[in-house]
Each structure stands twice: as C-alpha cells, then as structure tokens.
Amino acid sequence: MTVSSTLRSERSRIYDELPAEHTIMRRGAALVAVSFANLADGQPVDVGTLVSTSRWLIEYVRSHHGSEEEQLWPALSELFPAAVAELDRMVIEHQALDAELHTLTRAVDAIDAREITGGPAEVLVVVSEAAMTGLPSAQRVREILTRHFDEEEPVLLELFTQVPDGDLARVRNGIFRGDSRVSPHLVLGLMEDPHRIPGYAAVLSAFPASVRWLRPVLLARYRSTKKALAVTTFLDRV
C-alpha cells in the first residue's frame, strides 16, 4: 500500500469509527434501559444478565470518554485552538453523564447484592429496586448519552476534515476503542442490531482475528443475552 493510499484509508476510517463507537453505546444504553423497564414491569428478565450488561455499558462509556479526554481532546486542542471552548463544553457534558453513571452503578450494585432465591418476596425486592432507582437512572443515561452524541458528532466530524495528514493516526487513537476483550458478544451484536452500522466491514477489520473468527458464536451469544434481558426489539432510533 502506498503512502497516499494509507492516508486515504486512515482518513476514511476516522469517519467510520466515531459514529461506530457512538452507535455501540447508543444501542447499549437502549438495551439496558428497555431491560430495566421490562424488569420493573414484571417480565422474566434474568437479573444476573442485566447486572453484567449494565456494568459492561458503564465501563465502556467511561473508557470511551477517558480516551477522548486523555488523547483526542489534547490533540484537537493543539491543532484547533479556536475549538477549545467547544471541547471544554463536551468535557462538562461528560461530567454530567458520569454522575448519572455513578447513580446507575449504585442501583446495579444494590440489585446484585440481593440473593434471588425465586421466592416472591425476593423477586419483589429486586423489581422494586429496579423501578425506583435502576429504571429512572438507566433512562437518564440513555437520554443524556443520546443528546451528547447528537451534539458532539457534527462538531468532531467537521474538525476531522481539517486534520493534517501527519496527525491522522494520533487523532484516530483517541476515537475508537471497540474493546472486544470484554464482552465481545455485546460489541459485535450491537454493531449489527437492528442493522449493521455504516462502515461495518472497516470497523470489524480492526478487531483481533480471533474475534472475527468467532463472530457467528459471539452473535449467537448476543441473541441469547438479548433474550435473557427480555428485549425483543429496539423501538426508538438507535
């Protein structure tokens, strides 16, 4: 591959990877919020699966925002000083979201601490916890995340058009985590459900070969997870 084609590939990936990351988290937040609503409604949600999926979402979002603040924002601030105020505003939005993630974490920990024996009393405790704390927090996380990404994406994509060739790799390193080491079935599943994300092939190619080889198995596990969460479909825009 020539230098020019490598740069074209880098520049093309940068436009695929940011929306991909955001879509994984948008869909993950929807999955968790809908499952909490189902649990509060008395549907047969597997509590352990809801706890583990919620914890995955919380850590994924925190990891993404940490990467932005540690790598992406400094790179863009250096390249585009006029955009510093806008980037600072996004950090403040991160802080608001992080506060809600703490609330969701406490709710998940409280639910996880309950010993579910199948008895009506224990089930009622878990359902009440989900309804009072987990569900409102999961819904707020989804709302804040969606609003934040809707505002952030146009700003960043416009800046990306101006990134010099020599800084493309540095900027890309602050965008895409797509961390397939933890719960790869969720990452791959959310990349395809309810439809494949734009730039799917390019994003998938960045994953380890072992994950790509196991894709059918991991997607089957994702479908089982979704069933355990009592989620049949996504009704909203994701």
Side-chain angles (χ1 to χ4, degrees):
M1 184 179 290
T2 65
V3 173
S4 59
S5 60
T6 300
L7 288 173
R8 283 197 299 272
S9 177
E10 287 277 338
R11 196 167 288 281
S12 175
R13 283 179 179 274
I14 206 171
Y15 296 112
D16 290 332
E17 290 170 346
L18 179 72
E21 277 284 85
H22 287 179
T23 299
I24 290 168
M25 287 180 280
R26 280 188 178 102
R27 292 175 176 178
L31 187 68
V32 168
V34 171
S35 186
F36 263 107
N38 292 341
L39 178 61
D41 194 41
Q43 296 187 41
V45 173
D46 182 85
V47 175
T49 302
L50 177 56
V51 165
S52 63
T53 305
S54 298
R55 286 182 171 156
W56 166 82
L57 173 68
I58 291 165
E59 291 309 312
Y60 197 101
V61 173
R62 285 175 173 162
S63 175
H64 172 76
H65 284 169
S67 178
E68 284 186 334
E69 293 174 16
E70 293 166 13
Q71 299 182 58
L72 183 58
W73 289 177
L76 293 178
S77 295
E78 178 186 325
L79 293 169
F80 310 110
V84 168
E86 190 73 18
L87 297 174
D88 286 346
R89 182 181 63 79
M90 293 178 194
V91 171
I92 294 173
E93 292 176 358
H94 285 186
Q95 293 168 350
L97 178 58
D98 194 53
E100 199 57 57
L101 289 173
H102 278 297
T103 301
L104 181 57
T105 298
R106 289 195 297 270
V108 170
D109 288 345
I111 293 171
D112 193 31
R114 306 290 187 184
E115 183 178 351
I116 308 302
T117 61
E122 287 294 336
V123 171
L124 182 60
V125 167
V126 171
V127 170
S128 298
E129 185 73 44
M132 290 188 299
T133 309
L135 174 57
S137 182
Q139 290 175 329
R140 285 194 295 270
V141 166
R142 182 183 184 184
E143 291 165 3
I144 295 170
L145 198 66
T146 299
R147 183 172 63 250
H148 171 63
F149 288 157
D150 285 349
E151 294 174 356
E152 180 185 78
E153 273 183 26
V155 174
L156 295 184
L157 291 175
E158 175 59 28
L159 290 177
F160 292 166
T161 65
Q162 306 168 56
V163 173
D165 291 344
D167 293 292
L168 282 173
R170 178 164 63 120
V171 169
R172 272 194 66 215
N173 286 338
I175 298 173
F176 186 63
R177 307 289 287 195
D179 196 341
S180 57
R181 296 169 297 179
V182 180
S183 301
H185 64 293
L186 291 174
V187 177
L188 286 177
L190 293 168
M191 285 172 56
E192 297 203 13
D193 184 20
H195 50 76
R196 287 187 173 184
I197 59 173
Y200 176 88
V203 172
L204 184 65
S205 69
F207 286 13
S210 58
V211 172
R212 298 197 303 271
W213 293 334
L214 289 171
R215 177 178 160 275
V217 175
L218 293 170
L219 289 177
R221 185 181 173 192
Y222 169 77
R223 289 190 291 271
S224 296
T225 297
K226 194 175 173 185
K227 182 178 180 180
L229 295 172
V231 176
T232 56
T233 187
F234 289 126
L235 300 179
D236 297 335
R237 179 179 64 85
V238 291

